[in-house]
Amino acid sequence: MAKKFPPGRCTHCLNFFDKLTADHVFPKSWYPESTPENLEKWQIPACHRCNEEYGKIENDLLQRIGLCLDPIEISSLGITDKVLRSIKPEYATSKKDRLHRQKKREKLIRSLMPRNQVPQEAFFPGFGAPSDRNILGNFVVRVPKAGIKALAEKLVRGITFIVDNRFIEKSHFIDLIVADEKSAQDLIEIIRRFGDQYHKGPGIRIGRAVAQDNIDSAVFEIEIWRRFRFYATVEPRESS
Ligand SMILES: [Zn+2]
């Protein structure tokens, strides 16, 4: 059920609104079918505009990344199927819906590329190896970095609000770090030693460590579907 938030600030743009919507930190549709039914899905206050804008970005990412997942992996159970259904015109409930599905399908097809034309370093960490169970076969799908950056920013703001009941003010900025586990070793070690882990069912895991001398600075590890993993930092804008 959607939470009700009293008038206050939007977690994302930080402006004050009389009316706030309940924004899911992790989109509802991203939770795999293996998620326990009674799991509390984190919700945060957001203005209508931010909620809608992030909704579009998340949908686009889900479409693309969903196709690259293993359809029978328990941590992402049902995600690939959901994406496939959403682009099949035969599931349409109206003429408009049918057109919408066709458009989505065409857009996705346009972002496909033959695997052998993509250099290894262009793959998102964890997605470079071909798999028998990958429905894309010899194709790969382009994922916009700006979308992942926006997602990282949203999740970091959301998790900070949930855990600390705080906003990340304009004095700080959020940086996305795309790295494989080996390159991110130092960061992972800091989180493991000094941080906390949060699990949201089998599909979502977050690690977070906050700096001891400045609670606004933090490092994050975000892992979705055990596969889509990235890191983020929150730092002061001007280093003194
Ligand atoms: Zn907003």
Side-chain angles (χ1 to χ4, degrees):
M1 231 182 75
K3 249 186 173 167
K4 281 240 184 322
F5 289 101
R9 294 173 80 189
C10 166
T11 314
H12 309 300
C13 66
L14 305 174
N15 294 321
F16 189 94
F17 293 89
D18 285 332
K19 271 193 186 148
L20 287 163
T21 62
D23 188 11
H24 278 85
V25 177
F26 290 91
K28 260 202 291 195
S29 56
W30 287 37
Y31 288 87
E33 282 169 9
S34 46
T35 303
E37 258 175 58
N38 59 358
L39 181 92
E40 193 211 340
K41 298 182 175 116
W42 285 339
Q43 293 174 62
I44 49 170
C47 72
H48 184 74
R49 197 175 141 195
C50 286
N51 196 335
E52 210 175 66
E53 274 175 18
Y54 276 116
K56 281 184 207 153
I57 294 169
E58 289 158 350
N59 242 319
D60 182 63
L61 287 175
L62 178 68
Q63 295 283 321
R64 295 164 192 266
I65 302 168
L67 293 179
C68 309
L69 301 172
D70 180 342
I72 61 167
E73 158 68 43
I74 195 84
S75 316
S76 53
L77 199 66
I79 299 289
T80 306
D81 283 350
K82 193 186 311 185
V83 171
L84 287 176
R85 264 198 316 274
S86 78
I87 55 170
K88 283 187 180 159
E90 58 264 41
Y91 286 97
T93 51
S94 66
K95 210 174 159 185
K96 201 178 147 196
D97 184 25
R98 174 178 274 271
L99 271 171
H100 183 64
R101 283 163 194 263
Q102 263 162 1
K103 258 176 85 178
K104 271 211 281 199
R105 189 191 183 96
E106 283 157 21
K107 194 175 155 196
L108 262 184
I109 290 172
R110 280 198 303 273
S111 31
L112 295 181
M113 282 176 83
R115 176 177 283 275
N116 59 15
Q117 283 181 18
V118 181
Q120 198 56 34
E121 64 269 21
F123 282 96
F124 197 87
F127 287 88
S131 150
D132 295 346
R133 296 208 288 258
N134 185 328
I135 58 143
L136 291 175
N138 290 326
F139 285 86
V140 296
V141 65
R142 262 192 296 259
V143 178
K145 192 169 181 193
I148 300 176
K149 195 169 163 38
L151 175 74
E153 177 147 357
K154 183 209 174 197
L155 295 179
V156 164
R157 289 188 184 280
I159 295 159
T160 304
F161 182 85
I162 295 282
V163 177
D164 290 341
N165 202 21
R166 289 170 67 86
F167 297 101
I168 295 175
E169 300 295 342
K170 296 219 158 81
S171 57
H172 285 66
F173 72 97
I174 298 161
D175 213 10
L176 163 71
I177 299 167
V178 175
D180 58 23
E181 274 172 289
K182 208 172 151 222
S183 315
Q185 218 172 7
D186 291 351
L187 211 144
I188 295 171
E189 183 66 19
I190 292 172
I191 295 170
R192 194 167 299 148
R193 291 178 63 163
F194 307 108
D196 290 306
Q197 299 280 339
Y198 306 92
H199 293 262
K200 281 282 155 193
I204 294 165
R205 179 175 70 83
I206 302 117
R208 171 182 181 253
V210 175
Q212 275 173 319
D213 55 343
N214 178 353
I215 61 161
D216 289 317
S217 296
V219 287
F220 287 77
E221 177 187 16
I222 294 162
E223 185 190 84
I224 307 169
W225 310 313
R226 278 191 75 184
R227 187 83 190 281
F228 180 36
R229 192 180 300 114
F230 50 85
Y231 309 89
T233 56
V234 185
E235 287 170 72
R237 262 182 214 284
E238 278 129 332
S239 49
S240 48

